[in-house]
Amino acid sequence: MSTESYLLKICLATEDEAKTGLYMFLLRQYVNKAGLEEQQASLLAAAVTNRVFGEKSTGEPGTAFAAENSKLIDDHARKLASDNALCSCLSGAAYSTSYGRYIAAGGSRSMFSNTFLKYIRTLSRLHDGDYETIRQKTAEQIADLNRTILDPIEAMRFFDIFRPLPDNPNERSFYDAVHQFALDMGVFNSRGE
């Protein structure tokens, strides 16, 4: 398997498991702690998951719910920022989701020319004003490939969920953390399916 195929595969798996795990995490909270009935809890959990990953709701019930409850959805997304362990897991998932999109769109990833990694590295250095200019420039270059590539990272930054990543992110470690989270949420049955 080529490096590119491997990266695409692991990034897609990370995205899928993170979204499903977050949905299950939120659904449990909304049913068990907030006392919402299952249908309402499911709609809210799906809407918050979509918002956290920078996506729009799909289907009639989800679209209508999101349109009518935008402030509630944003409020619930912001509450996630207080859980550092969850935020770290979701930040790795956002990285992998966006990196997979970047690779699929044909983004460069050579050792000396990786616009995506340059963008990621600026995020942990934004206290220095010079890095904001670099972040904006690299974000524009990435958006030229596909405007949705950075949506998960930018959405999580907006809700203060995104946490700085190492200079050399490890897609496998992000997947492992997300997979464990998904297992903990009961996404897979006892055989791992």
Side-chain angles (χ1 to χ4, degrees), residues 71-87:
K71 183 178 178 336
L72 176 70
I73 295 164
D74 284 356
D75 290 345
H76 279 275
R78 275 190 189 87
K79 287 179 185 177
L80 297 175
S82 65
D83 185 335
N84 282 324
L86 178 62
C87 289

Side-chain angles (χ1 to χ4, degrees), residues 48-124:
V48 171
T49 299
N50 285 333
R51 194 72 53 93
V52 165
F53 278 89
E55 298 178 351
K56 304 242 186 273
S57 296
T58 58
E60 179 55 36
T63 302
F65 180 85
E68 295 167 8
N69 297 285
S70 186
K71 183 178 178 336
L72 176 70
I73 295 164
D74 284 356
D75 290 345
H76 279 275
R78 275 190 189 87
K79 287 179 185 177
L80 297 175
S82 65
D83 185 335
N84 282 324
L86 178 62
C87 289
S88 292
C89 183
L90 291 175
S91 296
Y95 165 88
S96 292
T97 301
S98 294
Y99 196 39
R101 292 176 184 180
Y102 175 79
I103 293 167
S108 67
R109 53 175 204 82
S110 72
M111 187 166 68
F112 300 109
S113 175
N114 189 325
T115 304
F116 186 81
L117 282 180
K118 186 186 298 183
Y119 168 83
I120 291 298
R121 289 171 181 156
T122 65
L123 294 178
S124 63

Side-chain angles (χ1 to χ4, degrees), residues 23 27 38-48 61-62 65:
Y23 169 81
L27 181 64
E38 187 89 22
Q39 175 71 15
Q40 195 72 3
S42 179
L43 287 168
L44 183 57
V48 171
F65 180 85

